[in-house]
Amino acid sequence: MNILILYSSTDGHTKKISEFIHNIICIGNNIEIYNINNFLQSESNLSKYDFVLIGASIRYGRYRKNFLKFVNRNYKELNKIKSAFFSVNIVARKKDKNSVHNNPYIKKFNKLSKWQPSFIDVFAGKLDYPNYNFINKNVIRFIMYITKGPTKTNEIIEFTNWENVRNFAVKIINY
């Protein structure tokens, strides 16, 4: 199968998840993986792929513009082929917001997009306080304080359930 993996990553964690999935599904498949910005600049055509996987992160309650621009520009073609989408957000660290049925950013995606992926999932992201700039560190810390999350700015906390990511990748293989 010819598979395209695209990611829209703010701090690199969505890229890490995309690469993890790539490593699981690569056997017996021809896979290309791109930052969505690089794919937007290329001459590539979606129709040459049998399956397209796109992962996108959330920052301050929003998907990045590059992701939305790509999906809204290409939804007709995406809807013609097998595809999947995953969202990466810190809200998914909570049990009552860690599924496609209860995650607010999956609901937001469904409202903002005409793309209808074959399947969707959501994964909790990562807090990387030491690598945030002063403004991001303090804004994110305030958001974490309000939502009863971790606020120690010397910590790196990865909330991702890698077994869930593995199961998602297996779902792609078996699709």
Side-chain angles (χ1 to χ4, degrees), residues 3-9 14-15 18-19 22 31-46 48-49 52-55 66 70:
I3 300 174
L4 173 65
I5 300 175
L6 298 174
Y7 59 87
S8 174
S9 190
T14 304
K15 177 183 179 186
S18 298
E19 290 170 342
H22 170 275
I31 301 177
E32 295 179 32
I33 184 168
Y34 292 96
N35 177 312
I36 205 163
N37 288 335
N38 296 340
F39 191 81
L40 284 169
Q41 296 169 3
S42 74
E43 298 290 324
S44 292
N45 183 343
L46 290 175
K48 74 178 191 176
Y49 300 100
V52 176
L53 169 64
I54 303 176
N66 62 355
F70 178 83

Side-chain angles (χ1 to χ4, degrees), residues 18-78:
S18 298
E19 290 170 342
F20 182 86
I21 292 169
H22 170 275
N23 291 338
I24 293 171
I25 66 174
C26 66
I27 297 172
N29 293 305
N30 178 33
I31 301 177
E32 295 179 32
I33 184 168
Y34 292 96
N35 177 312
I36 205 163
N37 288 335
N38 296 340
F39 191 81
L40 284 169
Q41 296 169 3
S42 74
E43 298 290 324
S44 292
N45 183 343
L46 290 175
S47 64
K48 74 178 191 176
Y49 300 100
D50 303 306
F51 193 96
V52 176
L53 169 64
I54 303 176
S57 65
I58 291 289
R59 174 63 62 88
Y60 301 138
R62 297 195 166 137
Y63 289 105
R64 298 178 77 206
K65 289 179 185 178
N66 62 355
F67 162 69
L68 293 173
K69 179 180 177 181
F70 178 83
V71 168
N72 289 329
R73 185 181 289 167
N74 294 288
Y75 75 89
K76 288 179 183 176
E77 198 164 355
L78 286 166

